[in-house]
Structure formats: structure tokens, C-alpha cells
Amino acid sequence: MKTIIEPFRIKSVEPLRMTTRDEREDKLRAAGFNVFHLHSADVLIDLLTDSGTGAMSSEQWAGIMRGDESYAGSPSYYRFRDRLREITGFEGILPTHQGRASERILFELLGGPGKVVPNNAHFDTTRANVEHSGARAIDLMIPEAREPRNRHPFKGNMDVAALERLIAEFGSDAVPAVMCTVTNNSGGGQPVSLENLRAIRAVCDRHGIPLFLDACRFAENAWFIKQREPGQGDRPVRAIVRDMFDLADGATISAKKDGMVNIGGVLLLRDPELLHRASDVLILTEGYVTYGGLAGRDLEAMAQGFEEVLHEDYLEYRVRSTQYLGDKLVAQGVPILEPPGGHAVYLDAKAFCPHIPVGEFPGQALTVALYREAGIRACEIGSVMFGGGGHEPPPMELVRLAIPRRVYTQSHIDYVIEAIVAVHRRASELRGLRIVEAPQVLRHFTARFEEM
Ligand SMILES: *Cc1c(COP(=O)(O)O)cnc(C)c1O
């Protein structure tokens, strides 16, 4: 069979609302040309993020009913904890309300002025939390990752030689942890190989530095390893996942991605002393250690979601349907970051609208155009997200089309392809933007713009 079908059927539906072009023009102006300010009811196909936007299964909804809301020691917590132990092999498992809460706790304990945290590519909230602690966040992607048309199979890999140089430059005492993001979100949803993780681990061991995974998309990463890494093709995804976690001293996870839930996060820690201190901060700022700022029902949904995400027919469908979008766009001459990532396709805005200089935010201009044309909401991952505040412009100007899990069908995606191709044909008409209002940190969420 050539067709990869959705390995589920639909039990409950949500109607979509169509808008006219004039309506969308008004909404864009009211939103200050920032799609984060749009009302989602005015969006037809919402590809802003795959975070917390997935559809839960009937078993997850059953878990929602089963949830036990005891303050301490709820059976829902133990189900969640045991599932995570079984998958990751970690003993120290803390629930948090989402990924950035795990990051904030970790960097409150490990960060601070004078510290340097290397990562293959920090995501926006990770970078912001590292920097909020006073530490520096440094990205060490392999050079191939900066070339949009390079089809390297593991473009998420860290440049291990650059990691060695960084440790030599700052000294191992200044590096409280090495982070590795699987899959790498800001660099295109690209996977990291087991070989690369082992090489990073070896460097960490030589210098006595702990290795932490930003493991939001650990299952998608493991699926890519199974597909692409020599010698891994016959291994169960679960075994590959276990290898990934075995290499780490800890992990931050947003369960809103591969946890397949609408809210939730996890912090995994091996060191008992660090776990103890993290538990204290968790109780102070999130909630008691057996619920971490969540309801018991959320823990049930996570316990089930982390199980379902490892079903290989699901992962095959997931990664192939993202590839479908990417491959069709490439076939029609639309420049994307190749190869397509696991959770998203990233349009290469610099190549899409070469007439717009980086200072006028080509990614933002393209994001605006997609909504204007077809009611599609995408997310700029470029100079709006990572510029400003004295930062260098990022190496690429991207527009991420993130695919919510188990939500849209192939005809929705075909509509998206038609719309993007139509915008691409008239790309020379797109106009740059200037910022009229922006906060100090994470400015992409709230900045307002004006068209040039
Ligand atoms: C989503 C994400 C985070 C942050 O998680 P939240 O649940 O949004 O707080 C951190 N790192 C990566 C790679 C992510 O994709």
C-alpha cells in the first residue's frame, strides 16, 4: 500500500468558520499584523503551533473522567510517574504545568551570571529562561543546519568540535549543563542521531558536565533515528527512546508536544540532590510534587498520551504526513527548509521573498500574507522571535507551519498547499514590516507592526 492513512477515526468534530478576505484584512490591522493577537475563531487552519493543540484519544478522555483530584498521593500521579519511569528509565520524575516551568526550575538551580549553557539550538522559552537566570545561551548547530537546501539526515546534530572549543574557552566550571534539543524546534524540527548524542555524552563525561535533553519531541526524534540511522531500522522505537534517555542526566519536557495533551510538562532528574532542590522549588512555585500545578485528570491524560505517542503506526503517519506537505511544496518550487521536519514544515522566507531585507522581517511579511490569502496562521521563527535586545539576527528567516497532532486531514493540508503556492506566485507583492511596539523579552508574542 502506498497511502499512509490516519491510524484513527473521528468521533467528535469541531466546525471551522470561513472568513472573507475583507474580514481578514480588518482582523490583521486590529492585530497589529501579529498573528498572536488574532482571535483563533477568525483562523481557518491554525498552524501556529503543535503545542497543546492536538486531539486527545477516547482513552485519554476516559482518563480525564478517571482523574483523582487528591492533593497528595493521587493514583493519577502514580500512573503518570510509572509510565514515565517505564519509558525513560528515570526515577526522579516531577510533573510541571508545561515545558517552560521545567526550564525555569532547572535554570534557577543551574544558571546564573557567568554561566554558559550550550545547546544544539535553544528554543525561545529555553533561551529566555537561561538568560533570565543571568547565564548565556549559545547555539552550536552543525554547519549543514544553516543551509536550507542541505538534506543532511540529522540536521539537528550538535557541532561536537564547537562544544569542545566552547568548554575550552569558558572552562568547564562555567558550563553547568549541556542541553540538546530533540528534535530541534527552532532549527527546523530536525532530528539528532544517537551517534551524535553519544559523542556529546563523551565530551560531557570528559569534563564532568551533566547532559540534559530538551525532550519535547523525543518520540518523533526516535522515529527518525529508526528510519535514518544505520543499524537502527529493526529496533523498536521504545528501545531507541530508552537509549536517548539513558545518555542524559535529566530532561525538560513539554507534554503539549509528544505527551499528546493540551497542558502538562515533566522534569526528569537523575541526581538525588538536584531532585531534592528541584522538588522544593516546584512546591514553592508550581504545586506539591504529586501534581506540580496540574489537575489529577491532566496527569491521567499524560500517562495515556506518552503511551500512544510510541505506537509506531502513529509515528509513521505523523512523520509521513508532515513530509507530504513539505514534498508537495518543494515539487511546486516553494523554498522550504529541507528535509521537512517531524512536527512542522518551515518556509524559507529569505528565499521566498528575497526583495524584503532582514530588517523588515520577511518571515513576518509571509506570515501576514498566509493569513490574508487563506486564513492560515503560521509562526515566524526569525528576526522577530530571536532578534532585538542586542541579539545578532538568526542565521535563517523561517515561517513554521506546525501540524497539530491528529487534528487536520489530508484535504486541509491540500488546501494549505494551494494557498502557499498562490502566495508564492505573487511573492514580489509582499511588503516588509516595521515594529511599532515591542516588549523586552519574547517580543514575538506581543509586538505590533505596521506595513511598509
Ligand atoms: C514547546 C517547547 C518548549 C517549551 O514548552 P512549553 O510547554 O511551551 O512551555 C521548550 N522547548 C522546545 C523545543 C519546545 O518545542
Side-chain angles (χ1 to χ4, degrees), residues 175-362:
V175 184
V178 173
M179 292 284 294
C180 188
T181 307
V182 293
T183 56
N184 124 347
N185 187 357
S186 31
Q190 305 287 336
V192 178
S193 68
L194 269 182
E195 186 190 23
N196 188 247
L197 284 173
R198 292 197 177 109
I200 299 167
R201 177 78 239 181
V203 173
C204 288
D205 284 344
R206 268 203 301 286
H207 297 278
I209 301 170
L211 171 61
F212 284 81
L213 298 180
D214 177 342
C216 296
R217 298 179 183 79
F218 69 95
E220 291 173 8
N221 197 83
W223 180 255
F224 279 119
I225 287 174
K226 183 178 167 102
Q227 300 305 302
R228 297 181 184 172
E229 191 156 347
Q232 299 297 323
D234 294 329
R235 301 184 64 213
V237 162
R238 276 171 206 276
I240 297 171
V241 164
R242 186 56 193 269
D243 284 355
M244 289 164 51
F245 282 108
D246 280 350
L247 289 165
D249 296 290
T252 55
I253 303 181
S254 168
K256 301 171 71 172
K257 284 67 174 259
D258 277 353
M260 309 263 256
V261 291
N262 305 119
I263 195 74
V266 191
L267 177 58
L268 303 177
L269 295 168
R270 241 184 258 288
D271 175 29
E273 157 69 13
L274 194 59
L275 176 66
H276 192 78
R277 288 164 62 212
S279 305
D280 290 348
V281 180
L282 183 78
I283 294 171
L284 183 70
T285 58
E286 289 274 303
Y288 186 60
V289 290
T290 63
Y291 72 88
L294 293 164
R297 54 181 166 271
D298 299 324
L299 298 169
E300 290 279 353
M302 272 202 279
Q304 180 64 22
F306 279 116
E307 163 64 29
E308 290 174 10
V309 79
L310 294 175
H311 294 182
E312 301 201 3
D313 52 357
Y314 162 75
L315 283 168
E316 176 174 42
Y317 143 78
R318 169 75 178 155
V319 170
R320 279 292 295 276
S321 51
T322 307
Q323 261 166 17
Y324 174 86
L325 169 59
D327 291 349
K328 293 262 165 158
L329 290 174
V330 170
Q332 305 237 40
V334 176
I336 68 162
L337 184 60
E338 294 180 49
H343 68 295
V345 169
Y346 295 64
L347 302 175
D348 175 359
K350 266 189 205 168
F352 198 110
C353 18
H355 61 290
I356 301 179
V358 165
E360 294 176 15
F361 309 118

